[in-house]
Amino acid sequence: MEKQILSLKGRVCLVTGAGQGIGRQVALHFASSGADAVVVNDFHQDRADDVAEEIKAMGGQAMAISADVTDRASVNEMVSKASRELGTIGVLVNNAGNMGAKPDEVEMAPFWTASTDTWDAFLAVNLYGVLNCTSAVIPGMIEDKSGRLVTIVSDAGRVGESGLEIYSAAKAGAAGFMRGVARSMGRHGITANSVAIATTRTPGVADVTEDAERAKRMLSQYTIRRFGEPEDVANMALFLASDAASWITGQTYPVNGGFSFNL
């Protein structure tokens, strides 16, 4: 019989920031690829509930949990609850990012004039959120001698982004953390990789992607003349979470329409 190498059968998957956009699509991809269960995390409980219901309507198993990834105690509680009720987390996708749960409250100013509270808003969710969630699932993965860690970063972390210097630093830090984890966890059968994305059609960037003139100017920088779709990123996340990527670790894969190239 042909082996389905993209199947996630036997694995419980946790996706952070999964109430909309890329996280939602990753959760749906995982459910449709046979995951035993998908833990749908979001800061907003109603969003998490909606996606969990979508998965259940597909015939999958899902648990919606509201937790702030920047709060280590809250993350530990989420992972403990999910593990008790569903089984050990075998796949973690660190997707929660951008400016956190309350972007309207983040001051947008040159980094040298912005307050440290503004810096912390970027660092907390994009870097410390990754550290918190990864540290919470690692013990179970070590015990199982198996695990997949996937962190969604950004091309800003690879090539830099004017006006988003702190965000760029946080995403670069998250990717570097994944490489360190890959080094230390490989002997336990755990892989750790990152996916670096460019502009992708999500609610958070609708003001850009739906502005025809602005979109035209931006797309002139892309080899493939379209913005990304959540499915583009979810496809790579599924690959890295599956047996197809069992000998891949410590890497950062650009999914960016050719916005930048990688060797």
Side-chain angles (χ1 to χ4, degrees):
M1 294 179 62
E2 182 180 355
K3 183 179 180 181
Q4 299 298 316
I5 59 174
L6 293 179
S7 171
L8 297 183
K9 185 177 181 180
R11 291 175 179 152
V12 176
C13 306
L14 166 60
V15 185
T16 69
Q20 62 179 2
I22 290 169
R24 168 184 171 273
Q25 193 58 54
V26 171
L28 295 177
H29 261 47
F30 283 6
S32 65
S33 296
D36 280 10
V38 179
V39 182
V40 181
N41 159 259
D42 201 90
F43 184 83
H44 303 280
Q45 184 68 52
D46 57 336
R47 292 180 183 173
D49 288 338
D50 288 346
V51 176
E53 288 305 314
E54 285 189 78
I55 290 172
K56 292 174 184 177
M58 297 164 50
Q61 184 174 5
M63 173 184 289
I65 303 182
S66 171
D68 181 354
V69 299
T70 69
D71 182 334
R72 190 172 184 180
S74 178
V75 168
N76 288 339
E77 182 179 346
M78 169 178 67
V79 171
S80 294
K81 175 180 173 62
S83 298
R84 285 195 308 270
E85 298 189 24
L86 301 173
T88 302
I89 304 297
V91 177
L92 166 67
V93 178
N94 290 303
N95 170 74
N98 293 321
M99 291 179 284
K102 300 178 180 179
D104 293 340
E105 298 179 10
V106 179
E107 171 194 17
M108 294 303 294
F111 76 91
W112 60 92
T113 65
S115 67
T116 53
D117 287 343
T118 296
W119 295 2
D120 289 344
F122 287 107
L123 293 169
V125 66
N126 294 290
L127 181 54
Y128 279 96
V130 175
L131 271 63
N132 290 339
C133 294
T134 302
S135 65
V137 303
I138 282 289
M141 291 182 175
I142 290 176
E143 186 174 347
D144 278 3
K145 297 182 172 58
S146 176
R148 298 283 187 270
L149 303 167
V150 181
T151 295
I152 308 300
V153 294
S154 167
D155 257 14
R158 293 180 54 249
V159 300
E161 183 68 31
S162 176
L164 291 173
E165 295 86 354
I166 308 303
Y167 175 76
S168 299
K171 288 299 191 182
F177 172 66
M178 282 290 101
R179 290 191 291 272
V181 170
R183 291 280 188 190
S184 60
M185 290 295 112
R187 62 194 176 94
H188 298 291
I190 300 167
T191 65
N193 295 285
S194 300
V195 181
I197 65 173
T199 304
T200 305
R201 291 185 186 276
T202 64
V205 294
D207 60 328
V208 174
T209 58
E210 294 178 10
D211 182 325
E213 288 302 316
R214 191 174 179 185
K216 183 178 179 180
R217 290 195 301 271
M218 290 183 65
L219 286 174
S220 67
Q221 303 176 62
Y222 288 73
T223 303
I224 300 174
R225 293 291 203 271
R226 69 170 176 86
F227 292 123
E229 299 291 344
E231 290 84 354
D232 295 316
V233 185
N235 289 339
M236 179 59 79
L238 173 60
F239 168 70
L240 293 173
S242 73
D243 286 344
S246 62
W247 208 47
I248 297 173
T249 196
Q251 306 303 314
T252 299
Y253 287 91
V255 177
N256 62 11
F259 177 77
S260 67
F261 291 167
N262 197 30
L263 179 63

